[in-house]
Amino acid sequence: MLSLYAPTSLSLTHHHHHHSHRRSHHHHRLKTHVKPISATIIPSSTPYPQQQLFYQPFRPPAPDAPIPSHFRSLDTGGRIETLSNRLGLWFEYAPLISSLMREGFTPSSLEEVTGISGVEQNLLVVGAQVRYSLLQSNIDPEILSFFDNGGHSLLYEIRLLSAKERVAAARYLAEKRVDPRGAQEVARAIKDFPRRRGDRGWDWFDYNVPGDCLAFMYYRQSRENRDSLDKRMATLEKALELSETEKAKKALTEELKRKYDDADDEKSEIKDGVKVPVVRMKTGEVAEATTVVLLPVCEAREGVDAVLGAPLECRNLGEFGIVTAEKGWKRWVVLPGWEPVVGLTAGVVVAFVDARALPWRVNRGYKEEAILVVADRGAKEVVADAGFYLVAVSGDNGSGGEELKVERGSALKERGVEESLGTVVLVVRAPREETEDQLRDEDWE
Protein backbone atom coordinates (compact mmCIF):
# COMPACT_ATOMS: atom_id res chain seq x y z
CA MET A 1 0.00 0.00 0.00
CA LEU A 2 1.13 3.59 -0.59
CA SER A 3 0.40 6.42 1.80
CA LEU A 4 1.38 9.98 1.05
CA TYR A 5 1.22 11.03 4.68
CA ALA A 6 1.72 7.80 6.58
CA PRO A 7 2.92 8.39 10.19
CA THR A 8 6.20 6.83 11.29
CA SER A 9 4.53 4.76 14.01
CA LEU A 10 2.43 2.92 11.44
CA SER A 11 5.53 1.92 9.50
CA LEU A 12 7.27 0.69 12.65
CA THR A 13 4.35 -1.31 14.03
CA HIS A 14 3.56 -2.95 10.72
CA HIS A 15 7.04 -4.35 10.05
CA HIS A 16 7.88 -7.39 12.14
CA HIS A 17 11.42 -8.46 12.94
CA HIS A 18 11.45 -11.40 10.54
CA HIS A 19 10.82 -8.98 7.66
CA SER A 20 13.92 -6.90 8.41
CA HIS A 21 15.93 -8.21 5.47
CA ARG A 22 13.01 -7.65 3.11
CA ARG A 23 12.48 -4.18 4.49
CA SER A 24 16.13 -3.27 4.03
CA HIS A 25 16.11 -4.47 0.45
CA HIS A 26 12.90 -2.59 -0.29
CA HIS A 27 14.19 0.64 1.25
CA HIS A 28 17.24 0.37 -0.93
CA ARG A 29 15.06 0.00 -4.02
CA LEU A 30 12.90 2.92 -2.92
CA LYS A 31 15.96 5.10 -2.64
CA THR A 32 16.94 4.25 -6.20
CA HIS A 33 13.62 4.57 -8.03
CA VAL A 34 11.27 6.75 -6.03
CA LYS A 35 13.50 9.38 -4.56
CA PRO A 36 11.92 12.27 -6.51
CA ILE A 37 8.45 11.28 -5.28
CA SER A 38 7.22 12.65 -1.98
CA ALA A 39 5.65 9.39 -0.86
CA THR A 40 6.50 6.41 1.34
CA ILE A 41 5.97 2.90 0.00
CA ILE A 42 5.29 0.45 2.79
CA PRO A 43 5.69 -3.18 1.73
CA SER A 44 3.47 -5.82 3.20
CA SER A 45 2.94 -9.51 2.58
CA THR A 46 -0.61 -9.26 3.98
CA PRO A 47 -3.23 -6.52 3.60
CA TYR A 48 -3.84 -4.06 6.41
CA PRO A 49 -6.70 -4.82 8.75
CA GLN A 50 -9.75 -2.70 7.97
CA GLN A 51 -9.36 -0.53 11.08
CA GLN A 52 -5.83 0.62 10.07
CA LEU A 53 -6.90 2.15 6.74
CA PHE A 54 -6.93 5.93 6.52
CA TYR A 55 -9.69 5.82 3.86
CA GLN A 56 -11.54 3.34 1.77
CA PRO A 57 -9.44 2.63 -1.34
CA PHE A 58 -10.92 3.73 -4.67
CA ARG A 59 -12.57 0.97 -6.69
CA PRO A 60 -12.78 1.79 -10.41
CA PRO A 61 -15.67 0.31 -12.33
CA ALA A 62 -15.31 -3.14 -13.84
CA PRO A 63 -14.38 -4.46 -16.23
CA ASP A 64 -11.06 -2.66 -16.42
CA ALA A 65 -8.92 -2.93 -19.49
CA PRO A 66 -6.17 -5.48 -18.72
CA ILE A 67 -2.63 -4.32 -18.07
CA PRO A 68 -0.34 -5.22 -21.00
CA SER A 69 2.09 -8.05 -20.30
CA HIS A 70 5.18 -5.81 -20.53
CA PHE A 71 3.79 -3.59 -17.74
CA ARG A 72 2.60 -6.30 -15.33
CA SER A 73 5.96 -6.83 -13.66
CA LEU A 74 6.42 -3.15 -12.80
CA ASP A 75 6.45 -2.17 -9.16
CA THR A 76 4.73 0.97 -7.89
CA GLY A 77 7.64 3.23 -8.76
CA GLY A 78 7.86 1.76 -12.24
CA ARG A 79 4.17 2.29 -12.89
CA ILE A 80 4.40 5.89 -11.69
CA GLU A 81 7.39 6.48 -13.93
CA THR A 82 5.54 4.96 -16.91
CA LEU A 83 2.58 7.26 -16.37
CA SER A 84 4.75 10.31 -15.73
CA ASN A 85 6.61 9.83 -19.00
CA ARG A 86 3.60 8.35 -20.84
CA LEU A 87 5.61 5.42 -22.04
CA GLY A 88 3.76 3.50 -24.73
CA LEU A 89 0.32 4.05 -26.24
CA TRP A 90 -2.38 5.65 -24.11
CA PHE A 91 -4.52 2.49 -23.82
CA GLU A 92 -1.46 0.54 -22.63
CA TYR A 93 -0.59 2.76 -19.67
CA ALA A 94 -4.19 3.80 -18.85
CA PRO A 95 -4.91 0.59 -16.85
CA LEU A 96 -1.98 1.47 -14.57
CA ILE A 97 -4.11 4.31 -13.18
CA SER A 98 -6.72 1.85 -11.90
CA SER A 99 -4.08 -0.41 -10.41
CA LEU A 100 -2.50 2.47 -8.49
CA MET A 101 -5.89 3.57 -7.20
CA ARG A 102 -6.49 0.10 -5.88
CA GLU A 103 -3.30 0.54 -3.87
CA GLY A 104 -4.65 3.69 -2.24
CA PHE A 105 -3.91 6.55 -4.58
CA THR A 106 -6.56 9.23 -5.09
CA PRO A 107 -6.94 11.23 -8.31
CA SER A 108 -5.31 14.24 -6.65
CA SER A 109 -2.35 12.31 -5.22
CA LEU A 110 -1.85 10.57 -8.53
CA GLU A 111 -1.90 13.91 -10.31
CA GLU A 112 0.79 15.16 -7.94
CA VAL A 113 3.23 12.35 -8.73
CA THR A 114 2.48 11.84 -12.45
CA GLY A 115 1.33 15.23 -13.71
CA ILE A 116 -1.85 13.69 -15.19
CA SER A 117 -4.88 15.70 -14.10
CA GLY A 118 -7.88 14.04 -12.53
CA VAL A 119 -10.00 14.89 -15.57
CA GLU A 120 -7.52 13.26 -17.94
CA GLN A 121 -7.23 10.24 -15.66
CA ASN A 122 -10.96 9.78 -16.05
CA LEU A 123 -10.76 10.15 -19.84
CA LEU A 124 -7.93 7.64 -20.05
CA VAL A 125 -9.46 4.97 -17.84
CA VAL A 126 -12.97 5.20 -19.30
CA GLY A 127 -11.58 5.45 -22.83
CA ALA A 128 -9.54 2.27 -22.22
CA GLN A 129 -12.62 0.50 -20.92
CA VAL A 130 -14.61 1.46 -24.02
CA ARG A 131 -11.74 0.38 -26.27
CA TYR A 132 -11.55 -2.98 -24.46
CA SER A 133 -15.29 -3.50 -24.96
CA LEU A 134 -14.85 -2.78 -28.68
CA LEU A 135 -12.02 -5.30 -28.79
CA GLN A 136 -14.28 -7.90 -27.20
CA SER A 137 -16.94 -7.11 -29.80
CA ASN A 138 -14.49 -8.16 -32.53
CA ILE A 139 -14.44 -4.76 -34.21
CA ASP A 140 -12.29 -4.36 -37.31
CA PRO A 141 -8.67 -3.85 -36.14
CA GLU A 142 -8.20 -1.13 -38.75
CA ILE A 143 -11.05 0.87 -37.21
CA LEU A 144 -9.70 0.29 -33.72
CA SER A 145 -6.27 1.54 -34.76
CA PHE A 146 -7.81 4.94 -35.56
CA PHE A 147 -8.06 5.54 -31.81
CA ASP A 148 -4.43 4.65 -31.06
CA ASN A 149 -3.26 8.25 -30.90
CA GLY A 150 -5.32 10.39 -28.55
CA GLY A 151 -8.45 8.35 -29.10
CA HIS A 152 -9.39 8.28 -25.42
CA SER A 153 -11.24 11.63 -25.70
CA LEU A 154 -13.32 10.23 -28.57
CA LEU A 155 -14.10 6.88 -26.98
CA TYR A 156 -15.02 8.58 -23.71
CA GLU A 157 -17.95 10.29 -25.45
CA ILE A 158 -19.58 6.99 -26.49
CA ARG A 159 -19.29 5.43 -23.03
CA LEU A 160 -23.05 5.54 -22.37
CA LEU A 161 -23.95 3.54 -25.47
CA SER A 162 -24.56 -0.21 -25.53
CA ALA A 163 -21.91 -2.56 -26.91
CA LYS A 164 -23.67 -2.75 -30.28
CA GLU A 165 -24.15 1.00 -30.44
CA ARG A 166 -20.49 1.56 -29.54
CA VAL A 167 -19.29 -0.55 -32.47
CA ALA A 168 -21.47 1.39 -34.93
CA ALA A 169 -20.48 4.73 -33.39
CA ALA A 170 -16.75 3.88 -33.37
CA ARG A 171 -16.91 2.87 -37.03
CA TYR A 172 -18.65 6.15 -37.87
CA LEU A 173 -16.13 8.22 -35.89
CA ALA A 174 -13.21 6.55 -37.65
CA GLU A 175 -14.68 6.78 -41.15
CA LYS A 176 -15.74 10.41 -40.81
CA ARG A 177 -12.69 11.52 -38.78
CA VAL A 178 -14.94 13.09 -36.18
CA ASP A 179 -13.52 15.31 -33.41
CA PRO A 180 -14.49 14.95 -29.70
CA ARG A 181 -17.28 17.52 -29.96
CA GLY A 182 -18.70 15.69 -32.96
CA ALA A 183 -18.37 12.39 -31.08
CA GLN A 184 -20.49 13.80 -28.27
CA GLU A 185 -23.12 14.83 -30.82
CA VAL A 186 -23.11 11.34 -32.36
CA ALA A 187 -23.58 9.71 -28.96
CA ARG A 188 -26.40 12.08 -28.07
CA ALA A 189 -28.19 11.45 -31.36
CA ILE A 190 -27.96 7.66 -30.99
CA LYS A 191 -29.06 7.74 -27.36
CA ASP A 192 -31.98 10.05 -28.06
CA PHE A 193 -33.33 8.35 -31.19
CA PRO A 194 -35.41 5.57 -29.52
CA ARG A 195 -37.03 8.12 -27.19
CA ARG A 196 -38.42 10.02 -30.18
CA ARG A 197 -40.51 7.13 -31.50
CA GLY A 198 -43.75 8.51 -32.85
CA ASP A 199 -42.31 11.92 -33.79
CA ARG A 200 -42.95 13.11 -37.31
CA GLY A 201 -40.38 11.64 -39.72
CA TRP A 202 -38.95 9.18 -37.16
CA ASP A 203 -39.60 6.18 -39.40
CA TRP A 204 -37.63 7.71 -42.28
CA PHE A 205 -34.36 6.98 -40.48
CA ASP A 206 -32.49 3.80 -39.54
CA TYR A 207 -31.58 3.54 -35.85
CA ASN A 208 -28.66 1.20 -36.62
CA VAL A 209 -26.96 3.85 -38.77
CA PRO A 210 -25.30 6.67 -36.77
CA GLY A 211 -25.50 9.05 -39.74
CA ASP A 212 -29.27 8.61 -39.87
CA CYS A 213 -29.55 9.25 -36.13
CA LEU A 214 -27.63 12.51 -36.60
CA ALA A 215 -29.76 13.41 -39.61
CA PHE A 216 -32.95 12.87 -37.59
CA MET A 217 -31.62 15.11 -34.82
CA TYR A 218 -30.99 17.92 -37.31
CA TYR A 219 -34.32 17.31 -39.04
CA ARG A 220 -36.08 17.67 -35.70
CA GLN A 221 -34.15 20.88 -34.99
CA SER A 222 -35.23 22.28 -38.36
CA ARG A 223 -38.86 21.77 -37.35
CA GLU A 224 -38.34 23.36 -33.94
CA ASN A 225 -36.50 26.39 -35.32
CA ARG A 226 -39.50 28.23 -36.74
CA ASP A 227 -38.32 31.79 -36.26
CA SER A 228 -35.68 31.96 -38.99
CA LEU A 229 -36.26 30.63 -42.48
CA ASP A 230 -32.54 30.67 -43.27
CA LYS A 231 -31.73 28.62 -40.17
CA ARG A 232 -34.47 26.12 -40.92
CA MET A 233 -33.17 25.60 -44.43
CA ALA A 234 -29.52 25.32 -43.31
CA THR A 235 -30.40 22.79 -40.62
CA LEU A 236 -32.46 20.70 -43.02
CA GLU A 237 -29.63 20.75 -45.58
CA LYS A 238 -27.28 19.56 -42.83
CA ALA A 239 -29.65 16.67 -42.09
CA LEU A 240 -29.63 15.65 -45.75
CA GLU A 241 -25.83 15.84 -45.83
CA LEU A 242 -25.49 13.55 -42.79
CA SER A 243 -28.13 10.99 -43.77
CA GLU A 244 -26.85 7.64 -45.03
CA THR A 245 -29.79 5.44 -46.04
CA GLU A 246 -31.63 5.96 -49.30
CA LYS A 247 -34.98 6.17 -47.53
CA ALA A 248 -33.78 9.03 -45.35
CA LYS A 249 -32.14 10.85 -48.26
CA LYS A 250 -35.29 10.63 -50.36
CA ALA A 251 -37.57 11.85 -47.56
CA LEU A 252 -35.27 14.75 -46.67
CA THR A 253 -34.91 15.75 -50.32
CA GLU A 254 -38.69 15.97 -50.64
CA GLU A 255 -38.93 17.88 -47.36
CA LEU A 256 -36.27 20.31 -48.52
CA LYS A 257 -38.12 20.87 -51.79
CA ARG A 258 -41.29 21.72 -49.88
CA LYS A 259 -39.34 24.16 -47.72
CA TYR A 260 -37.95 25.88 -50.80
CA ASP A 261 -41.48 26.16 -52.20
CA ASP A 262 -42.66 27.70 -48.93
CA ALA A 263 -39.73 30.12 -48.99
CA ASP A 264 -40.60 31.21 -52.52
CA ASP A 265 -44.19 31.79 -51.44
CA GLU A 266 -43.09 33.89 -48.49
CA LYS A 267 -40.75 35.96 -50.65
CA SER A 268 -43.47 36.59 -53.19
CA GLU A 269 -45.80 37.70 -50.41
CA ILE A 270 -43.19 40.19 -49.21
CA LYS A 271 -42.92 41.55 -52.74
CA ASP A 272 -46.69 41.89 -52.80
CA GLY A 273 -46.45 44.29 -49.86
CA VAL A 274 -46.77 42.31 -46.61
CA LYS A 275 -45.71 44.90 -44.05
CA VAL A 276 -47.21 43.53 -40.84
CA PRO A 277 -44.53 42.32 -38.40
CA VAL A 278 -45.01 38.80 -37.06
CA VAL A 279 -43.08 38.32 -33.83
CA ARG A 280 -42.74 35.55 -31.28
CA MET A 281 -42.51 36.70 -27.70
CA LYS A 282 -39.72 35.31 -25.58
CA THR A 283 -40.21 33.98 -22.09
CA GLY A 284 -39.46 36.79 -19.64
CA GLU A 285 -39.36 39.44 -22.36
CA VAL A 286 -42.06 41.54 -20.73
CA ALA A 287 -40.25 41.48 -17.39
CA GLU A 288 -37.03 42.67 -19.02
CA ALA A 289 -38.65 45.40 -21.16
CA THR A 290 -38.03 49.02 -20.14
CA THR A 291 -41.40 50.02 -21.61
CA VAL A 292 -44.60 47.99 -21.76
CA VAL A 293 -48.02 48.50 -23.31
CA LEU A 294 -51.30 47.36 -21.74
CA LEU A 295 -54.05 46.53 -24.24
CA PRO A 296 -57.59 45.13 -23.93
CA VAL A 297 -58.19 41.67 -25.39
CA CYS A 298 -61.24 40.10 -26.98
CA GLU A 299 -61.71 36.72 -28.63
CA ALA A 300 -62.32 36.40 -32.36
CA ARG A 301 -65.56 34.47 -31.84
CA GLU A 302 -67.04 37.37 -29.83
CA GLY A 303 -67.36 39.45 -33.00
CA VAL A 304 -67.84 43.16 -33.58
CA ASP A 305 -69.46 44.03 -30.24
CA ALA A 306 -66.36 42.98 -28.32
CA VAL A 307 -64.04 45.11 -30.46
CA LEU A 308 -66.32 48.12 -30.25
CA GLY A 309 -66.91 47.65 -26.55
CA ALA A 310 -63.25 47.39 -25.49
CA PRO A 311 -61.77 50.46 -23.75
CA LEU A 312 -60.27 52.92 -26.20
CA GLU A 313 -57.42 54.13 -24.05
CA CYS A 314 -55.57 53.64 -20.80
CA ARG A 315 -53.59 56.28 -18.96
CA ASN A 316 -50.84 56.31 -16.36
CA LEU A 317 -51.94 58.57 -13.54
CA GLY A 318 -50.29 59.86 -10.41
CA GLU A 319 -46.77 59.58 -9.09
CA PHE A 320 -46.88 55.77 -9.26
CA GLY A 321 -48.12 55.67 -12.86
CA ILE A 322 -51.27 53.77 -11.95
CA VAL A 323 -52.96 52.43 -15.08
CA THR A 324 -56.51 53.66 -15.40
CA ALA A 325 -58.95 52.63 -18.14
CA GLU A 326 -62.03 54.53 -19.16
CA LYS A 327 -64.15 51.50 -18.20
CA GLY A 328 -63.83 48.02 -16.80
CA TRP A 329 -62.71 45.12 -18.96
CA LYS A 330 -62.10 41.49 -18.08
CA ARG A 331 -59.14 40.56 -20.31
CA TRP A 332 -55.88 42.43 -20.81
CA VAL A 333 -52.42 41.64 -22.21
CA VAL A 334 -49.09 43.26 -21.46
CA LEU A 335 -46.72 43.54 -24.44
CA PRO A 336 -43.17 44.89 -24.64
CA GLY A 337 -42.94 48.43 -25.95
CA TRP A 338 -42.44 47.47 -29.56
CA GLU A 339 -42.54 50.31 -32.07
CA PRO A 340 -45.85 49.31 -33.76
CA VAL A 341 -47.76 49.36 -30.47
CA VAL A 342 -46.13 52.11 -28.43
CA GLY A 343 -47.99 54.94 -30.14
CA LEU A 344 -51.44 53.30 -30.24
CA THR A 345 -54.21 55.40 -28.73
CA ALA A 346 -57.13 53.12 -29.59
CA GLY A 347 -55.49 49.73 -29.79
CA VAL A 348 -57.22 46.40 -29.32
CA VAL A 349 -55.93 42.82 -29.30
CA VAL A 350 -57.92 39.98 -30.85
CA ALA A 351 -57.07 36.42 -29.78
CA PHE A 352 -57.33 33.84 -32.57
CA VAL A 353 -57.20 30.12 -31.85
CA ASP A 354 -54.88 29.57 -34.85
CA ALA A 355 -53.13 31.41 -37.67
CA ARG A 356 -55.55 30.35 -40.37
CA ALA A 357 -57.39 33.63 -39.81
CA LEU A 358 -54.49 35.43 -41.53
CA PRO A 359 -54.85 36.15 -45.26
CA TRP A 360 -51.35 35.07 -46.17
CA ARG A 361 -49.94 31.59 -46.34
CA VAL A 362 -48.46 30.60 -42.99
CA ASN A 363 -45.85 27.96 -42.28
CA ARG A 364 -47.20 24.56 -41.32
CA GLY A 365 -45.26 24.83 -38.07
CA TYR A 366 -47.41 27.55 -36.53
CA LYS A 367 -50.66 27.21 -38.49
CA GLU A 368 -52.26 25.65 -35.42
CA GLU A 369 -50.67 28.02 -32.88
CA ALA A 370 -52.82 30.57 -31.10
CA ILE A 371 -51.96 34.13 -32.11
CA LEU A 372 -52.75 37.69 -31.05
CA VAL A 373 -53.58 40.33 -33.67
CA VAL A 374 -53.05 43.94 -32.62
CA ALA A 375 -55.23 46.45 -34.47
CA ASP A 376 -55.46 50.25 -34.44
CA ARG A 377 -59.12 51.25 -34.14
CA GLY A 378 -58.11 54.81 -34.90
CA ALA A 379 -57.33 53.84 -38.50
CA LYS A 380 -60.46 52.14 -39.83
CA GLU A 381 -60.46 53.37 -43.40
CA VAL A 382 -59.39 50.81 -46.01
CA VAL A 383 -56.67 52.73 -47.84
CA ALA A 384 -53.79 50.51 -48.92
CA ASP A 385 -54.27 47.52 -51.17
CA ALA A 386 -51.29 45.89 -49.49
CA GLY A 387 -52.53 46.70 -45.98
CA PHE A 388 -54.30 44.34 -43.60
CA TYR A 389 -57.49 45.11 -41.77
CA LEU A 390 -59.60 43.61 -39.01
CA VAL A 391 -63.11 42.83 -40.23
CA ALA A 392 -66.18 40.80 -39.19
CA VAL A 393 -67.34 37.86 -41.28
CA SER A 394 -70.16 35.37 -40.96
CA GLY A 395 -69.26 32.48 -38.64
CA ASP A 396 -68.64 28.97 -39.99
CA ASN A 397 -70.45 27.29 -37.13
CA GLY A 398 -73.89 27.76 -38.64
CA SER A 399 -75.06 29.99 -35.81
CA GLY A 400 -75.38 33.00 -38.02
CA GLY A 401 -73.10 35.05 -35.78
CA GLU A 402 -70.07 37.05 -36.83
CA GLU A 403 -66.44 36.23 -36.25
CA LEU A 404 -63.40 38.43 -36.60
CA LYS A 405 -60.85 37.92 -39.34
CA VAL A 406 -57.92 39.66 -41.03
CA GLU A 407 -58.36 40.65 -44.70
CA ARG A 408 -56.16 42.28 -47.34
CA GLY A 409 -57.06 45.79 -48.40
CA SER A 410 -57.28 44.74 -52.05
CA ALA A 411 -59.80 41.99 -51.24
CA LEU A 412 -61.95 44.41 -49.24
CA LYS A 413 -61.91 47.00 -52.03
CA GLU A 414 -63.05 44.39 -54.53
CA ARG A 415 -66.10 43.79 -52.34
CA GLY A 416 -66.69 47.50 -51.95
CA VAL A 417 -65.74 47.61 -48.28
CA GLU A 418 -64.38 51.05 -47.36
CA GLU A 419 -64.21 50.83 -43.57
CA SER A 420 -62.89 48.13 -41.24
CA LEU A 421 -62.73 47.64 -37.49
CA GLY A 422 -59.09 48.71 -37.49
CA THR A 423 -55.76 48.45 -39.29
CA VAL A 424 -53.62 45.48 -38.24
CA VAL A 425 -50.21 46.64 -36.97
CA LEU A 426 -48.75 43.49 -35.39
CA VAL A 427 -49.19 39.72 -35.11
CA VAL A 428 -47.85 38.12 -31.92
CA ARG A 429 -46.98 34.45 -31.43
CA ALA A 430 -46.81 32.92 -27.95
CA PRO A 431 -43.52 32.21 -26.15
CA ARG A 432 -42.20 28.73 -26.75
CA GLU A 433 -40.21 26.89 -24.10
CA GLU A 434 -36.78 26.08 -25.48
CA THR A 435 -35.53 22.66 -24.35
CA GLU A 436 -31.97 21.68 -25.08
CA ASP A 437 -31.65 17.97 -25.56
CA GLN A 438 -28.45 17.26 -23.71
CA LEU A 439 -26.99 13.94 -22.93
CA ARG A 440 -26.43 13.88 -19.19
CA ASP A 441 -22.90 13.01 -18.27
CA GLU A 442 -22.55 10.43 -15.55
CA ASP A 443 -19.52 10.62 -13.30
CA TRP A 444 -17.17 7.73 -13.88
CA GLU A 445 -16.83 7.21 -10.16
Side-chain angles (χ1 to χ4, degrees):
M1 175 179 176
L2 183 144
S3 172
L4 292 180
Y5 304 103
T8 306
S9 59
L10 176 62
S11 176
L12 292 175
T13 57
H14 178 73
H15 296 287
H16 300 290
H17 178 71
H18 65 274
H19 287 305
S20 60
H21 174 70
R22 184 178 176 182
R23 179 185 61 188
S24 174
H25 173 71
H26 189 80
H27 285 183
H28 175 71
R29 185 176 62 187
L30 177 64
K31 181 178 181 182
T32 302
H33 296 286
V34 199
K35 185 175 181 180
I37 301 169
S38 59
T40 302
I41 300 176
I42 306 174
S44 175
S45 57
T46 58
Y48 286 129
Q50 185 70 22
Q51 65 271 19
Q52 290 184 339
L53 290 175
F54 292 104
Y55 54 85
Q56 292 293 329
F58 178 81
R59 301 298 183 193
D64 286 328
I67 297 176
S69 57
H70 55 283
F71 286 160
R72 291 173 190 168
S73 60
L74 293 176
D75 59 9
T76 302
R79 281 175 282 168
I80 290 175
E81 182 180 358
T82 300
L83 288 171
S84 299
N85 297 313
R86 300 182 184 239
L87 301 178
L89 296 171
W90 69 268
F91 58 86
E92 294 178 332
Y93 58 72
L96 300 179
I97 297 173
S98 300
S99 68
L100 288 171
M101 286 185 174
R102 281 192 291 268
E103 292 191 4
F105 276 95
T106 64
S108 58
S109 63
L110 196 57
E111 178 179 356
E112 181 181 349
V113 296
T114 65
I116 302 176
S117 69
V119 172
E120 190 172 4
Q121 291 173 36
N122 194 27
L123 290 175
L124 287 168
V125 174
V126 176
Q129 291 172 347
V130 174
R131 184 186 180 278
Y132 182 57
S133 72
L134 293 173
L135 192 62
Q136 291 181 313
S137 299
N138 298 319
I139 194 171
D140 187 344
E142 185 176 348
I143 293 176
L144 199 61
S145 65
F146 171 76
F147 303 98
D148 285 355
N149 296 317
H152 57 285
S153 56
L154 293 172
L155 296 178
Y156 175 85
E157 299 297 344
I158 63 174
R159 68 198 181 280
L160 299 182
L161 303 180
S162 66
K164 182 180 178 181
E165 292 169 343
R166 285 179 182 178
V167 172
R171 184 180 296 109
Y172 184 85
L173 299 181
E175 291 175 353
K176 303 297 183 181
R177 305 280 172 175
V178 180
D179 60 15
R181 184 174 181 178
Q184 184 184 59
E185 195 172 60
V186 170
R188 183 187 302 120
I190 294 174
K191 197 75 175 176
D192 184 63
F193 190 88
R195 304 170 185 168
R196 299 289 175 177
R197 181 185 295 273
D199 285 9
R200 185 181 186 277
W202 185 87
D203 55 344
W204 299 346
F205 304 89
D206 189 341
Y207 171 54
N208 298 307
V209 181
D212 271 23
C213 292
L214 273 174
F216 175 69
M217 183 180 73
Y218 277 95
Y219 166 72
R220 186 167 51 80
Q221 290 176 6
S222 73
R223 288 178 51 77
E224 292 174 353
N225 189 358
R226 300 167 182 166
D227 297 329
S228 170
L229 177 62
D230 292 337
K231 288 182 179 180
R232 290 200 307 271
M233 300 297 288
T235 308
L236 195 56
E237 288 172 352
K238 181 71 172 179
L240 179 59
E241 176 188 342
L242 292 170
S243 62
E244 296 188 65
T245 62
E246 288 302 319
K247 184 177 180 180
K249 288 181 181 294
K250 181 180 178 181
L252 290 172
T253 300
E254 293 175 355
E255 188 76 8
L256 198 56
K257 184 178 182 301
R258 285 194 293 270
K259 293 295 184 188
Y260 276 122
D261 291 342
D262 289 348
D264 291 340
D265 289 339
E266 289 183 18
K267 290 176 182 177
S268 65
E269 287 158 6
I270 292 174
K271 291 178 182 178
D272 290 342
V274 175
K275 302 295 184 182
V276 177
V278 180
V279 298
R280 180 187 288 281
M281 289 184 62
K282 297 179 180 178
T283 302
E285 187 173 5
V286 172
E288 297 173 358
T290 55
T291 304
V292 296
V293 176
L294 182 66
L295 294 170
V297 179
C298 58
E299 295 182 6
R301 60 180 175 80
E302 294 175 330
V304 177
D305 292 341
V307 175
L308 298 178
L312 287 174
E313 62 177 332
C314 298
R315 294 182 179 180
N316 295 335
L317 302 178
E319 296 179 355
F320 295 99
I322 298 173
V323 178
T324 304
E326 59 181 349
K327 59 181 176 180
W329 195 252
K330 59 183 178 180
R331 283 190 298 270
W332 299 83
V333 67
V334 179
L335 298 176
W338 293 319
E339 183 178 349
V341 298
V342 166
L344 288 181
T345 56
V348 66
V349 176
V350 180
F352 290 91
V353 294
D354 55 50
R356 284 173 288 190
L358 302 176
W360 62 82
R361 181 176 176 179
V362 298
N363 292 334
R364 297 179 183 87
Y366 73 92
K367 180 178 290 186
E368 298 181 358
E369 285 187 26
I371 59 169
L372 298 179
V373 172
V374 183
D376 181 6
R377 289 174 292 176
K380 296 182 179 181
E381 185 180 358
V382 179
V383 178
D385 290 350
F388 294 91
Y389 301 89
L390 183 66
V391 295
V393 296
S394 298
D396 297 330
N397 54 13
S399 62
E402 290 183 321
E403 292 185 355
L404 302 180
K405 192 175 182 181
V406 177
E407 293 273 7
R408 290 181 185 270
S410 57
L412 293 176
K413 287 183 177 181
E414 289 177 1
R415 301 202 303 266
V417 178
E418 298 180 355
E419 185 175 282
S420 67
L421 296 173
T423 301
V424 176
V425 297
L426 184 68
V427 176
V428 184
R429 299 167 65 188
R432 174 163 50 87
E433 182 179 356
E434 300 290 344
T435 56
E436 191 172 1
D437 185 29
Q438 295 287 341
L439 181 69
R440 288 189 176 181
D441 288 344
E442 294 180 1
D443 292 337
W444 169 54
E445 299 182 15

